DNA sequence: AAATGTGGCAACCGCCTGCTA
DNA sequence: TTAGCAGGCGGTTGCCACATT
């Protein structure tokens, strides 16, 4: 069965919408409501196809659309939902009030996806990409003492491991439950925001305080990207277990913010946080360096993958 | 100042799904 | 049961603004 075009394209306008066209569409929908997109252009006096009108309305003109940069919480939610739903942009958008699937899709492709790649995280699987990591630097680094590295496992916050584990289980066994948890998390974030005012930096600070603890607990390994921490797992090494152990806990994702403004506010927040407790956090790169460098350094600081204690490095070689 | 490169985003394309007759 | 249709969806394109050379 051949798919017939939604409208006769002859004589219909394409390309960017003019303010006049927008006004016509808004006026018509205000009077008659959305729907019946096939007949809408004719009735509204628009030389557009119905599909174009629907897209223009749902992606741009709808009054409940939230314009502007994505908040930190929104970015975090997108990443969490994408790890469960994949490229189901409409499903993700349904859980982000005021955001359209198109907007989220664009934002993912232009900001989040690239950043995950730069961090060595596969944006499809949400797992670290070994092919992106310069593992040789791990072995060639004269400053990396492998035995002491493996001894770090006791320093990893067990709560992080617990959360990562529950996330992994939820993701693989019960995606719906994970979605529910994410929604609960969103509600909680909203409550925190409401109780603390509209400034998201409060929430960011609380989140980063936790990361700061992590950062404090796991000593830096200079000249080693990514930095490596050890899992408390005592499972024997095999491909599957290793891969699952390599699933990143959510905290690692939350260490960046994709929009420039949010990045700046994030770093301000971090900076303030570190000022309040200077022993709790320190940048590898001085804050006087470029923002981009800060971001890279900042991201790499948190690329702390879990490596099973029994990992045999010969398997890699 | 001009040419070129790059990133972001609105909009389009074509396939899929579900409803209806 | 099946054909036809409208609406929805994800992938892709192309334009424009800004950055860089």
């Amino acid at each position: 069965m051949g798919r017939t075009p939604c409208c006769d394209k002859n004589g219909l306008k394409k390309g960017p919408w003019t303010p006049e066209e927008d006004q016509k569409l808004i006026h018509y929908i205000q009077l008659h409501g959305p729907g019946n997109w096939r007949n809408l252009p004719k009735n509204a006096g628009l030389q557009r196809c119905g599909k174009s009108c629907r897209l223009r309305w749902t992606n741009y003109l709808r009054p409940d659309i939230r314009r502007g940069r994505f908040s930190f919480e929104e970015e975090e939610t997108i990443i969490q939902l994408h790890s469960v739903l994949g490229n189901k942009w409409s499903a993700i958008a349904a859980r982000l009030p005021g955001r359209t699937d198109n907007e989220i899709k664009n934002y993912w492709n232009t900001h989040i996806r690239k950043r995950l790649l730069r961090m060595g995280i596969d944006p499809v699987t949400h797992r670290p990409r070994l092919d992106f990591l310069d593992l040789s630097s791990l072995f060639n680094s004269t400053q990396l003492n492998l035995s002491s590295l493996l001894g770090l496992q006791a320093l990893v916050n067990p709560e992080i491991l617990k959360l990562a584990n529950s996330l992994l289980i939820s993701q693989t066994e019960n995606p719906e439950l994970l979605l529910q948890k994410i929604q609960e998390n969103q509600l909680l974030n909203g409550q925190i925001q409401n109780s603390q005012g509209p400034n998201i930096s409060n929430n960011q600070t609380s989140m980063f305080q936790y990361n700061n603890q992590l950062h404090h607990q796991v000593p830096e390994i200079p000249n080693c990207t990514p930095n490596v921490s050890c899992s408390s797992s005592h499972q024997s090494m095999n491909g599957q277990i290793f891969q699952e152990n390599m699933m990143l806990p959510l905290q690692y994702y939350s260490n960046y913010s994709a929009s420039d403004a949010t990045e700046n506010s994030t770093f301000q927040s971090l900076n303030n946080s570190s000022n309040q407790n200077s022993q709790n956090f320190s940048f590898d790169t001085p804050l006087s360096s470029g923002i981009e460098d800060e971001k890279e350094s900042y991201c790499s600081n948190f690329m702390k993958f879990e490596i099973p204690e029994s990992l045999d490095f010969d398997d890699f070689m």
Side-chain angles (χ1 to χ4, degrees):
Chain A
M1 172 175 67
R3 175 86 174 92
T4 57
C6 66
C7 55
D8 179 14
K9 295 188 189 304
N10 290 336
L12 294 182
K13 191 165 176 260
K14 287 168 68 175
W17 282 65
T18 65
E20 291 75 25
E21 287 177 312
D22 284 345
Q23 275 309 311
K24 281 183 181 177
L25 183 57
I26 290 169
H27 181 67
Y28 182 87
I29 290 177
Q30 279 174 345
L31 289 176
H32 304 95
N36 195 9
W37 297 106
R38 189 182 178 84
N39 295 326
L40 186 149
K42 190 173 64 183
N43 296 335
L46 289 163
Q47 297 296 310
R48 295 272 182 175
C49 86
K51 208 170 190 175
S52 179
C53 293
R54 182 176 60 80
L55 282 174
R56 182 65 179 170
W57 174 256
T58 55
N59 288 336
Y60 202 82
L61 297 177
R62 242 174 47 203
D64 58 327
I65 284 181
R66 204 168 144 192
R67 314 298 304 178
R69 293 185 180 280
F70 281 72
S71 70
F72 184 86
E73 285 77 16
E74 285 177 310
E75 291 174 25
E76 192 187 27
T77 302
I78 290 170
I79 294 170
Q80 290 176 3
L81 289 169
H82 187 274
S83 70
V84 181
L85 299 168
N87 292 359
K88 304 289 181 189
W89 306 115
S90 59
I92 295 172
R95 290 170 172 83
L96 282 168
R99 299 295 189 183
T100 69
D101 53 356
N102 203 41
E103 194 178 12
I104 293 169
K105 177 176 61 182
N106 283 334
Y107 194 71
W108 176 271
N109 287 330
T110 57
H111 293 91
I112 301 176
R113 186 176 169 275
K114 288 177 186 174
R115 221 161 283 243
L116 290 179
L117 284 171
R118 256 187 292 169
M119 292 167 67
I121 299 169
D122 189 322
V124 177
T125 64
H126 290 252
R127 291 192 162 103
R129 293 185 58 163
L130 287 177
D131 55 325
F132 273 25
L133 305 178
D134 185 8
L135 286 175
S136 62
S137 67
L138 285 175
F139 307 112
N140 295 335
S141 171
T142 56
Q143 298 179 65
L144 174 63
N145 183 329
L146 200 56
S147 58
S148 63
L149 173 68
L150 293 174
L152 291 176
Q153 57 175 324
L155 298 173
V156 176
N157 190 330
E159 288 302 312
I160 294 173
L161 296 172
K162 200 165 69 179
L163 177 61
N165 188 46
S166 64
L167 173 69
L168 182 61
I169 291 169
S170 299
Q171 185 184 11
T172 53
E173 295 181 0
N174 195 345
E176 282 304 313
L177 181 63
L178 179 58
L179 283 175
Q180 190 184 334
K181 293 292 180 191
I182 291 169
Q183 284 175 332
E184 287 171 5
N185 180 44
Q186 278 185 281
L187 285 174
L188 184 62
N189 282 341
Q191 287 168 358
I192 291 171
Q193 274 187 278
N194 289 339
S195 64
Q196 296 185 339
N199 187 351
I200 63 170
S201 65
N202 288 333
N203 197 25
Q204 288 174 355
T205 302
S206 64
M207 179 176 295
F208 281 103
Q209 279 172 347
Y210 189 55
N211 287 329
N212 293 350
Q213 291 170 10
L214 170 67
H215 189 90
H216 184 61
Q217 288 166 336
V218 182
E220 286 302 319
I221 302 169
N223 299 333
C224 174
T225 304
N227 296 333
V228 180
S229 65
C230 293
S231 164
S232 62
S233 166
H234 291 267
Q235 295 165 309
S236 63
M237 177 64 191
N238 67 41
Q240 185 172 359
I241 292 174
F242 177 70
Q243 192 180 17
E244 289 187 354
N245 280 342
M246 294 293 275
M247 178 71 189
L248 287 180
L250 283 176
Q251 286 90 336
Y252 298 139
Y253 292 123
S254 66
N255 295 312
Y256 73 94
S257 179
S259 66
D260 290 342
T262 317
E263 276 162 4
N264 291 337
S265 65
T266 299
F267 282 105
Q268 282 168 359
S269 171
L270 281 163
N271 201 17
N272 293 338
S273 172
S274 66
N275 286 341
Q276 287 161 8
N277 185 357
S278 59
Q279 290 181 326
N280 210 28
F281 190 88
S282 65
F283 281 105
D284 287 341
T285 307
L287 283 171
S288 57
S289 67
I291 291 292
E292 197 63 32
D293 291 339
E294 290 172 17
K295 286 185 292 192
E296 297 298 338
S297 168
Y298 184 42
C299 291
S300 66
N301 283 346
F302 289 96
M303 291 298 295
K304 298 175 171 63
F305 303 148
E306 298 173 25
I307 296 181
E309 189 182 17
S310 55
L311 171 65
D312 182 356
F313 283 94
D314 289 339
D315 290 345
F316 280 114
M317 307 306 283

